[in-house]
Amino acid sequence: MSKLRIAIQKSGRLNEDSLKIIKECGISIDNGKDQLKASARNFPLEVFYLRNGDIPQYLRDGVVDIAIIGENVLVEKGEDIRFVERLGFSKCKVSLAVSKRETYEGMEFFNNKKIATSYPNTVKKYLNNKGINTEIHLINGSVEIAPNIGLADGICDIVSSGSTLFKNNLKEVEVLLTSEAVLAVSPKISEEAQAILDKLQFRIKSVLKGRNSKYVLLNAPNDKLDEIINVLPGMRSPTVLPLAEDGWSSVHSVISKNEFWNIIDELKAKGAEGILVCPIEKMVM
């Protein structure tokens, strides 16, 4: 039986979040300590644990069919590789930063300066588009120390919370791109593997939709029912059930977690009571 071969990062936060979403898709992986490859017990899936920077080449060569990888890595090493889903985790920025002591007034600061980075292709493309000429020092790891030891005038690196920049007396001055984990696909994926991917992607979409939604139950006075229903976006239309108490109905709906508090405030203002909010594990459309 054919299996879908998926690459995920060998270790780190992306590894943990990747395994979590696979688990939430109802797929059980037989993981052993320091394994480089593992199989699922209940889905035709084979997991390869690889170095993040190597994954684009494995996709390009068809060694793996798909991968969960940071979009920033694809921009740097795999612009020819397509992705089919944004996964909503491992969000970060790829940014330029300089010493806090520097006065920064624009991109011209970097003209004829030195930049240390692990993302040379990303930096070159961005600065070339801006007409800025720089010297790039390729560093793998600990990029943020470069300005402090006189190796470079600035750096380009991943920024999540900004705490690493702060600790090294650096400040973010330009954002080159924003990134998150994506589901990337090999250009050599077979028809059989694509059929399995379609099933996996259906499950992933259901998990992501559940993560981004809340199930809301509330009590509404019947004379305010139409106004309250108009506030609720819902999937199609909310479920309305009569309560034992005359003049009241129970309303059930789904709302986006991003709009959640604004909608709740509006519901209360229109007379909704007893509002109950529940998480959604999965949402099959």
Side-chain angles (χ1 to χ4, degrees):
M1 182 180 177
S2 296
K3 287 189 176 183
L4 182 68
R5 298 163 300 174
I6 183 172
I8 65 172
Q9 188 176 357
K10 189 187 302 184
S11 60
R13 177 70 182 275
L14 190 54
N15 168 277
E16 295 169 8
D17 288 338
S18 299
L19 290 175
K20 181 180 179 183
I21 198 168
I22 291 172
K23 183 178 180 180
E24 289 178 0
C25 287
I27 300 171
S28 301
I29 305 294
D30 290 322
N31 272 340
K33 186 174 176 60
D34 297 325
Q35 273 185 299
L36 297 179
K37 189 169 75 168
S39 294
R41 293 196 299 270
N42 55 351
F43 192 83
L45 187 73
E46 196 168 37
V47 181
F48 289 71
Y49 299 98
L50 304 173
R51 287 180 62 246
N52 213 30
D54 294 339
I55 290 176
Q57 192 60 50
Y58 279 88
L59 285 166
R60 196 176 285 115
D61 293 342
V63 176
V64 294
D65 302 305
I66 61 172
I68 296 178
I69 187 172
E71 186 179 358
N72 58 297
V73 179
L74 285 187
V75 171
E76 176 64 24
K77 294 187 174 183
E79 280 196 305
D80 56 322
I81 298 169
R82 69 186 177 98
F83 66 86
V84 294
E85 199 75 52
R86 293 184 180 277
L87 300 176
F89 56 82
S90 294
K91 293 186 177 183
C92 65
K93 297 175 287 184
V94 177
S95 300
L96 289 167
V98 299
S99 170
K100 288 180 180 179
R101 298 187 299 271
E102 297 284 359
T103 300
Y104 183 82
E105 296 179 346
M107 288 296 300
E108 287 296 325
F109 172 89
F110 291 105
N111 228 355
N112 301 315
K113 297 282 181 67
K114 298 176 182 178
I115 296 177
T117 186
S118 302
Y119 297 91
N121 296 327
T122 303
V123 176
K124 286 176 186 176
K125 182 177 179 180
Y126 185 84
L127 294 181
N128 285 344
N129 288 339
K130 299 286 185 180
I132 304 298
N133 180 46
T134 58
E135 181 181 337
I136 294 176
H137 282 265
L138 177 60
I139 298 179
N140 292 312
S142 301
V143 173
E144 61 278 353
I145 68 170
N148 295 326
I149 61 176
L151 182 63
D153 303 289
I155 69 164
C156 180
D157 201 12
I158 287 177
V159 177
S160 295
S161 66
S163 61
T164 302
L165 294 182
F166 180 81
K167 290 174 185 175
N168 286 275
N169 293 311
L170 300 174
K171 59 184 178 182
E172 182 183 41
V173 292
E174 297 284 342
V175 177
L176 279 62
L177 62 93
T178 57
S179 173
E180 63 184 281
V182 296
L183 186 65
V185 181
S186 168
K188 296 185 177 180
I189 188 170
S190 67
E191 289 185 13
E192 294 85 357
Q194 180 64 54
I196 301 170
L197 171 57
D198 291 342
K199 293 179 181 179
L200 176 62
Q201 197 176 352
F202 173 78
R203 295 190 186 192
I204 289 174
K205 285 179 181 289
S206 299
V207 170
L208 294 177
K209 190 69 176 175
R211 285 182 179 181
N212 293 323
S213 304
K214 299 287 186 182
Y215 190 74
V216 177
L217 302 86
L218 58 89
N219 297 331
N222 289 344
D223 60 347
K224 298 284 187 180
L225 197 53
D226 288 342
E227 290 182 46
I228 288 172
I229 288 173
N230 286 335
V231 173
L232 295 166
M235 289 178 288
R236 287 187 180 172
S237 63
T239 301
V240 180
L241 301 170
L243 290 177
E245 183 178 348
D246 287 341
W248 285 81
S249 295
S250 174
V251 180
H252 300 216
S253 189
V254 174
I255 62 176
S256 166
K257 72 174 187 179
N258 296 325
E259 303 171 347
F260 172 74
W261 285 113
N262 289 335
I263 291 175
I264 293 298
D265 289 341
E266 197 170 348
L267 289 171
K268 287 182 64 180
K270 292 189 179 300
E273 296 181 6
I275 301 172
L276 179 64
V277 182
C278 305
I280 298 174
E281 184 174 310
K282 296 173 186 68
M283 195 162 148
V284 180
M285 304 297 286

